[in-house]
Amino acid sequence: AHTHTFLHYCPSPDVNTILKDFSFAKFMWACLAVGTRVFSLSINDNKTSVLAPLADMMNHQHPAGTTWTFDGTLDSFTLTTTAEHFDGDPIYESYGPKDNKRFFASYGFCLEDNPQNEVSICIRRDPESVLVRQFTVSANYDVNARELFSFLRIANTSRAALEKYAKYRVQDGSDQPELSLEEICNNLYAGPISTDNELSALYMLRTACIEHLRCYPTTLAEDHTLLHSLRAEGDFNYRNCLVFRMGEK
């Protein structure tokens, strides 16, 4: 919307001439059509994005069965398969390792078994605590998971133990003002502290996950039953929403 407004007020007469016949709806359609079909590559050492008709009709598979590049000798976009194919075999490309949220919003589909799925969960130290953090995590142990477990360990540690675990000093060497527990959680990374602390952290994570699952109107088992029934009926949009929800769980 901001881009559309900016272009309409652009001082260039060429831009105004082009846009005057296009509504906001048409502008959004064009942006989405291009954004979901472009290929990123380098042409003469310049990184750019291109539209490649026909190549953009391939379905997603990760890892991909193809590679693409710009061939300077042919002066053309080239697509090469990375495996043997026979007549009638589908040829896939990879849209990238994305979670179902991005696949659904950008391409209109969801994968039933997507290792990149993410979910946002709220971690609270206790029911009345002001120490609350929102984390977006996946099944992979990445930087988000690292921050989550650090928060859980600190949230289950007494202040005295934290001060023993790490010293808080400012760069000039003088004593830093006393930090609140929230400030410590936001600024300190904590690896495993003790067996008891790790168990407490995992129990807190379990509690948060159970609370989050209670927000859904159905259980995962019920979702599997619904998905099985939809395969026969073919309600594609409802199926995508269901697969998206199952991926979060």
Side-chain angles (χ1 to χ4, degrees):
H2 291 295
T3 304
H4 183 262
T5 302
F6 170 78
L7 291 175
H8 264 289
Y9 289 97
C10 179
S12 170
D14 293 333
V15 172
N16 289 327
T17 300
I18 294 172
L19 281 180
K20 69 177 183 179
D21 295 325
F22 290 90
S23 64
F24 176 71
K26 289 183 177 179
F27 177 81
M28 286 299 299
W29 172 86
C31 286
L32 292 172
V34 171
T36 58
R37 288 167 173 79
V38 294
F39 292 83
S40 298
L41 44 72
S42 294
I43 300 178
N44 299 326
D45 295 326
N46 295 315
K47 291 184 178 180
T48 187
S49 298
V50 301
L51 289 172
L54 188 61
D56 63 8
M57 296 178 67
M58 288 186 292
N59 286 330
H60 165 78
Q61 177 177 279
H62 187 79
T66 56
T67 61
W68 65 78
T69 187
F70 179 81
D71 190 326
T73 59
L74 298 175
D75 193 31
S76 63
F77 173 92
T78 61
L79 188 76
T80 306
T81 59
T82 57
E84 186 177 20
H85 287 75
F86 299 94
D87 288 348
D89 287 347
I91 299 177
Y92 296 97
E93 65 176 341
S94 174
Y95 298 0
K98 298 179 175 64
D99 66 307
N100 276 344
K101 177 175 60 181
R102 295 183 63 190
F103 277 136
F104 196 19
S106 298
Y107 306 106
F109 69 85
C110 291
L111 301 177
E112 288 188 32
D113 298 306
N114 187 352
Q116 304 299 325
N117 278 337
E118 297 178 339
V119 65
S120 293
I121 56 175
C122 181
I123 306 293
R124 184 183 296 273
R125 192 183 187 203
D126 57 65
E128 298 181 358
S129 176
V130 295
L131 187 59
V132 181
R133 284 278 300 275
Q134 192 85 14
F135 292 91
T136 300
V137 294
S138 67
N140 305 311
Y141 188 79
D142 54 16
V143 63
N144 292 328
R146 184 175 181 269
E147 291 181 2
L148 166 64
F149 276 96
S150 175
F151 178 89
L152 290 168
R153 289 164 185 147
I154 294 173
N156 284 278
T157 305
S158 67
R159 184 176 185 89
L162 283 175
E163 290 175 343
K164 185 177 180 180
Y165 179 79
K167 295 180 180 179
Y168 307 106
R169 301 283 182 175
V170 292
Q171 292 181 355
D172 63 6
S174 61
D175 289 340
Q176 183 174 343
E178 184 175 347
L179 298 175
S180 68
L181 187 59
E182 183 177 8
E183 289 171 324
I184 294 173
C185 288
N186 290 335
N187 293 285
L188 173 70
Y189 168 71
I193 296 173
S194 68
T195 301
D196 288 342
N197 178 267
E198 202 73 1
L199 289 173
S200 296
L202 291 172
Y203 182 80
M204 179 179 284
L205 177 60
R206 176 181 180 273
T207 301
C209 290
I210 290 174
E211 289 178 355
H212 188 85
L213 286 170
R214 286 173 178 162
C215 297
Y216 294 101
T218 57
T219 65
L220 185 58
E222 290 170 335
D223 286 345
H224 278 292
T225 301
L226 285 171
L227 183 63
H228 181 75
S229 66
L230 286 175
R231 285 198 175 99
E233 298 175 8
D235 191 335
F236 189 68
N237 287 331
Y238 187 83
R239 174 200 169 277
N240 277 328
C241 293
L242 185 57
V243 171
F244 177 84
R245 185 172 73 192
M246 293 170 65
E248 287 193 334
K249 296 177 182 179

